[in-house]
Amino acid sequence: MTVLGAGNMGHGIAEVVAIAGYDVVMRDVESDLVSEGYESIEWSLEKLAEKDRLDESVEEVLSRIDTAVELESAVADADLVIEAAPERMDLKKEIFGELDEHAPDDAILASNTSSLSITEIASATSRPESVVGMHFFNPPVKMALVEVIYGTETSDETAEAAYEFVESLGKTPIYVRKDVSGFVVNTVLGPYIAEPAWMVSGGEATVREADAAMVHRRGYPMGPFELSDLTGIDVGYHVREEAGRPIPPVMAEKVESDELGRKTGAGYYDYESGEGANYGASDDSGEFDTLRVEARMANEAARLVGDGVATPEAVDTGVRLGLGFPEGICRRADDIGLDAILEKLETLHGETDEERFPPDDHLVELVESGRTGREAGEGFYEYDSDGDGPGDYRLLNYDLSEEGLLEVELDRPERMNALSTDLLGEIDDLLSSVDAEAVRCVTFEGAGDRAFSAGADIGGFADRSPTDAMDVTPAFETVEEFPRPTLAKIEGYCLGGGLELALACDLRVATEDSEFGSPEINLGLIPGGGGTQKLLRMLGETRAKELVFRGNRIGAERAEEWGLINRAVPAEEFDEVVREFVDDLLHGPPLALEVAKKVMNEGADASLDAALAMESQGFGLLFSTDDLREGTAAFREKRDPEFTGE
C-alpha cells in the first residue's frame, strides 16, 4: 500500500501500517520531507521499543517502509492508497486526479481528510465508487479510532474493505455512511467548543467557569476553552467559516488578535506570562449551564442517527475513542433524559430564536414515542428494565460460558479503564444479578493493552459530597463476597482504585511489565474501597505504609515478592498461565471452593479460635456432599473428578 504525505499524519499512518506487518511506500513531493518523515518514524519506533510496546525490532518494522518522491512509481502496485496531504480541496482533487491515472484499476483510493467532502474529492476521478474516507486521528500511533466515510458513490465493497483493513491495524473503525460536514466526531465536538463560547460572549459565564464545570462536574477530559487552546482557536474558527456557520464573538476576537492558543503563547489562557489553563474544581462553576452544552451535542447526535449517518453505537465509540469523552453522548443523553434535553432545546430556541437550538426531528420522534432514555427502558438504546438478571452495560463487557466462566472486561480503554461511579455500579449490578449457580469462576481484565485499571476517574467523582464519598462503593464488597473464585488478569497499570478492585479478587496474575501503586496520597487522599486495610493485612505494616505513604509504583516482580500478586509472568506466557489458573477453578469442586473462600475471608478478621471454629463447620458441611464422594472415587480410580456442586 501507499501513503501520500510524510507530515505528522502521513508518517504516523505509515508507521501504524508497518507495525501491523504491511509493506508501505511513504511518498511526498520533496525528498527532504520524506527524509524528515522517515526519521520521525524511526524516533517513534525507538520510543515504543523502550516501552516494550513493539512485538519485533525497530529494524524489522523499518524494513517494511520504502520512500518515494515520484507519485507514479509510488502507487504503481498499490492495492490501497491513503492520501494525507494538507486540508485543501484543490490540492486533494489534483492528487486524486493523478491517482486515477496512475493507480491500479482495482486499488482503493482513500483520503485522510478530517473535514472535506469525500464526494467532491472523488469527483476528480473516473471511479468514485472506489474512493472512501479513512480519517485517522492524531497521533495515529496512539489514537485507536478511524472514521470510514462513504462518499455519495462509494460502494459497500470499498467501504467494507477499508473497515476490515483498519481492524487489521488493531484500530477501531466506525462507519460514517453519509458524507456530512464534520463526519461524526467533529459534528458532536462542534457544540462542545462553540456553545460555551457563545455563553461567554453573551456574558453568561467566564472561561474558567465553563472549563471547571465541564471537567469537574461532568467528567470531560479537558474543558472546551483549554481544548481550543490546545488544537488552535483558528482551526475551529476556519471550520465554522468554511461551513458558513456563525462564529462566537469571543472566538473571532482571539483570531483577530492572533491569540490562537498554545502555539502563539496565549489564547483563552496565557501560557507565557500566566499559569495557562489554571481552572480547578474549586472555581465557581455552579451556575454554568452544562445541560445547555450537552443538549446541543445530543441534538447533533440525534441528527446523525436520524439521518442514517451513523448508529448510536458508532457515535458513542467515536466520541469516546476520538475525543476521550467519559462515555458516549447518546448514552449520556439517555441518562439525562431525552425529554429533558428536548425541553431545554425548545426553551432556548423560544428565548433566543437562534438557529442552533431547534430540536432535530429524530429527537422529537424519540420523545413523542415515549423513548425518553434509560428510565423509560428505551431511548437511543434499549435497556433491560425487567430487573431479571444482568442488564445492558455501556462501560463493561461480559460473557458467561457454558462451563461457567464469567469473563468481565472493563471497557474504557480511552481512559485506561478508570473506575467511574457508573462503571463500579455496573460491576455491582452484574455480580448481584447474575445467576451465581451458573458461575464457576470470574475473571476481570481491562480493555486495550495499557491498563487493567489506572485508578479512579477523579472527574467522575467530582460532584460527590464529602459524606457521599465516605460511603465505600458496594462494588468492591460485592466482588470480594461473590461466592465463586475471582481472578484479576492484570496487564499494564493497576493503580489506585484499579488496585483496590484487584485486591477484592481472590487471585491476581500479572504480566512482568505491569505496575502497581496507591497514588491517592499525591492527590491529598487515601486509598478507598478497603485499600488501606487490605494492603495492611496482605503486606504487613512496613510495606503497606511504604506503598500508601510514598504513593510510588512498584513493578510486578516486586509485587510478587511482596505477596501482592500470585504470579508475575512474561507477556508471552500470560494467557497460558491464566488458563491454567482458570482451568483449576472451573473444574474444582464448587461447594468446597465457596466454603473455602467464605471461611478464609471471614476468618482473616476473626480471632484464631473463631476462625478454627468456622473451618471446622465448613469441613463438616462438605463431608456429606456428592462432590466429596466423587472426588474420593476419582482418586481411587485414578481419573479426573467431575464435580457438580452437589
Side-chain angles (χ1 to χ4, degrees):
M1 69 155 293
T2 302
V3 176
L4 302 182
N8 287 338
M9 291 305 299
H11 74 65
I13 295 169
E15 180 180 359
V16 167
V17 169
I19 289 173
Y22 292 97
D23 292 326
V24 58
V25 178
M26 181 176 66
R27 179 262 178 185
D28 214 317
V29 293
E30 296 179 7
S31 58
D32 287 349
L33 296 175
V34 175
S35 296
E36 289 175 9
Y38 189 87
E39 290 170 4
S40 295
I41 293 174
E42 188 172 18
W43 177 87
S44 174
L45 290 172
E46 288 172 352
K47 291 297 182 183
L48 291 173
E50 289 174 8
K51 298 176 181 178
D52 198 26
R53 299 192 65 189
L54 281 182
D55 293 332
E56 51 190 346
S57 70
V58 171
E59 291 72 25
E60 287 174 306
V61 177
L62 287 173
S63 71
R64 291 194 284 270
I65 303 175
D66 287 330
T67 59
V69 173
E70 294 297 325
L71 184 140
E72 182 175 355
S73 61
V75 304
D77 299 318
D79 50 9
L80 169 64
V81 180
I82 301 177
E83 165 272 314
E87 288 284 273
R88 295 195 346 251
M89 180 59 78
D90 59 342
L91 175 60
K92 291 184 184 290
K93 291 177 73 171
E94 178 183 342
I95 291 171
F96 273 76
E98 294 180 23
L99 284 177
D100 193 36
E101 180 179 353
H102 299 299
D105 291 342
D106 59 351
I108 292 174
L109 309 182
S111 175
N112 181 57
T113 180
S114 61
S115 60
L116 300 179
S117 168
I118 301 300
T119 302
E120 187 172 350
I121 292 171
S123 70
T125 76
S126 61
R127 40 174 154 170
E129 71 282 354
S130 298
V131 179
V132 67
M134 291 176 66
H135 177 209
F136 289 75
F137 284 69
N138 193 22
V141 174
K142 292 184 178 180
M143 298 296 284
L145 183 72
V146 180
E147 292 179 308
V148 176
I149 307 112
Y150 278 74
T152 301
E153 297 186 56
T154 303
S155 70
D156 286 339
E157 181 182 8
T158 296
E160 288 166 6
Y163 191 99
E164 290 171 2
F165 176 74
V166 171
E167 289 185 314
S168 76
L169 301 179
K171 301 295 183 182
T172 302
I174 60 170
Y175 280 124
V176 183
R177 295 190 178 275
K178 292 185 179 179
D179 189 11
V180 297
S181 176
F183 308 144
V184 166
V185 173
N186 286 328
T187 293
V188 177
L189 177 63
Y192 185 76
I193 299 295
E195 197 56 38
W198 284 111
M199 295 165 75
V200 169
S201 298
E204 300 169 78
T206 67
V207 166
R208 287 168 59 92
E209 287 171 350
D211 280 359
M214 297 310 291
V215 171
H216 296 293
R217 278 172 44 204
R218 299 302 291 159
Y220 291 91
M222 191 177 292
F225 293 101
E226 181 185 10
L227 179 58
S228 293
D229 276 356
L230 179 65
T231 58
I233 300 171
D234 55 322
V235 174
Y237 176 93
H238 291 306
V239 167
R240 300 187 68 80
E241 185 178 46
E242 290 176 11
R245 294 196 294 269
I247 298 170
V250 68
M251 185 183 293
E253 291 166 8
K254 291 296 180 184
V255 173
E256 289 166 7
S257 62
D258 201 35
E259 294 180 347
L260 307 180
R262 287 180 178 270
K263 61 186 176 185
T264 60
Y268 294 116
Y269 295 94
D270 189 341
Y271 297 91
E272 288 186 346
S273 57
E275 298 179 0
N278 59 347
Y279 62 91
S282 61
D283 286 308
D284 182 17
S285 64
E287 298 301 315
F288 184 80
D289 190 353
T290 59
L291 178 56
R292 176 168 163 177
V293 180
E294 292 182 316
R296 284 212 54 217
M297 289 194 290
N299 202 36
E300 292 300 328
R303 183 170 290 111
L304 291 169
V305 174
D307 289 347
V309 177
T311 64
E313 291 84 358
V315 173
D316 283 358
T317 297
V319 299
R320 287 178 60 201
L321 298 183
L323 302 174
F325 279 11
E327 61 184 330
I329 189 61
C330 294
R331 291 284 188 185
R332 177 156 287 197
D334 277 354
D335 284 344
I336 292 170
L338 301 186
D339 49 346
I341 287 172
L342 176 60
E343 181 181 1
K344 185 68 176 180
L345 292 168
E346 289 176 336
T347 299
L348 288 166
H349 188 231
E351 291 174 348
T352 67
D353 202 33
E354 293 287 351
E355 286 303 312
R356 64 185 188 273
F357 292 127
D360 180 71
D361 290 344
H362 184 61
L363 178 64
V364 175
E365 289 171 9
L366 288 172
V367 174
E368 289 183 348
S369 65
R371 293 175 288 170
T372 57
R374 183 177 292 275
E375 287 192 5
E378 187 175 4
F380 281 108
Y381 295 91
E382 293 184 5
Y383 299 91
D384 178 18
S385 58
D386 60 12
D388 183 19
D392 174 70
Y393 302 118
R394 64 184 187 276
L395 301 176
L396 64 78
N397 305 311
Y398 73 93
D399 180 70
L400 179 58
S401 72
E402 291 184 1
E403 281 191 303
L405 174 60
L406 177 60
E407 297 177 285
V408 182
E409 180 186 58
L410 314 180
D411 190 18
R412 302 187 76 201
E414 72 284 356
R415 303 294 284 268
M416 291 202 288
N417 303 312
L419 299 176
S420 64
T421 51
D422 287 343
L423 176 52
L424 288 168
E426 291 183 2
I427 293 171
D428 180 54
D429 183 77
L430 172 61
L431 294 189
S432 298
S433 57
V434 72
D435 179 9
E437 295 300 318
V439 178
R440 301 285 287 266
C441 170
V442 185
T443 63
F444 289 90
E445 62 186 308
D449 59 359
R450 300 183 63 193
F452 173 76
S453 172
D457 187 341
I458 299 300
F461 290 88
D463 60 353
R464 301 180 73 187
S465 69
T467 52
D468 287 339
M470 290 171 64
D471 294 330
V472 176
T473 172
F476 299 112
E477 295 178 13
T478 302
V479 172
E480 185 171 9
E481 295 172 3
F482 191 72
R484 303 292 183 246
T486 53
L487 169 70
K489 299 168 54 178
I490 301 165
E491 295 183 87
Y493 296 118
C494 184
L495 308 173
L499 177 58
E500 287 144 26
L501 176 60
L503 292 177
C505 293
D506 301 307
L507 302 167
R508 290 161 290 282
V509 177
T511 55
E512 287 179 340
D513 60 353
S514 297
E515 295 185 15
F516 301 81
S518 295
E520 292 94 338
I521 203 74
N522 297 318
L523 299 174
L525 294 171
I526 63 172
T532 57
Q533 301 310 302
K534 287 189 176 68
L535 287 171
L536 196 64
R537 286 160 172 73
M538 186 175 295
L539 305 182
E541 180 180 356
T542 303
R543 288 171 172 168
K545 286 184 176 178
E546 177 181 344
L547 207 60
V548 172
F549 289 5
R550 299 185 68 193
N552 293 339
R553 302 174 189 173
I554 62 172
E557 292 184 5
R558 177 172 292 185
E560 182 182 19
E561 176 190 337
W562 283 11
L564 192 63
I565 62 176
N566 297 82
R567 298 284 189 280
V569 298
E572 61 271 17
E573 299 175 15
F574 180 70
D575 289 340
E576 179 59 32
V577 172
V578 168
R579 191 177 302 112
E580 291 172 357
F581 270 69
V582 170
D583 283 346
D584 288 341
L585 299 175
L586 281 178
H587 300 108
L591 286 175
L593 286 169
E594 179 179 352
V595 171
K597 176 172 180 173
K598 185 176 182 66
V599 168
M600 294 175 79
N601 282 357
E602 295 183 4
D605 297 324
S607 67
L608 179 58
D609 287 343
L612 289 173
M614 283 188 277
E615 179 188 275
S616 179
Q617 291 169 359
F619 187 88
L621 176 65
L622 294 169
F623 215 79
S624 60
T625 63
D626 290 343
D627 276 355
L628 175 64
R629 286 186 281 275
E630 166 63 11
T632 303
F635 178 77
R636 290 199 209 96
E637 297 165 13
K638 297 182 180 180
R639 60 175 173 81
D640 292 332
E642 297 182 6
F643 297 114
T644 62
E646 297 179 357

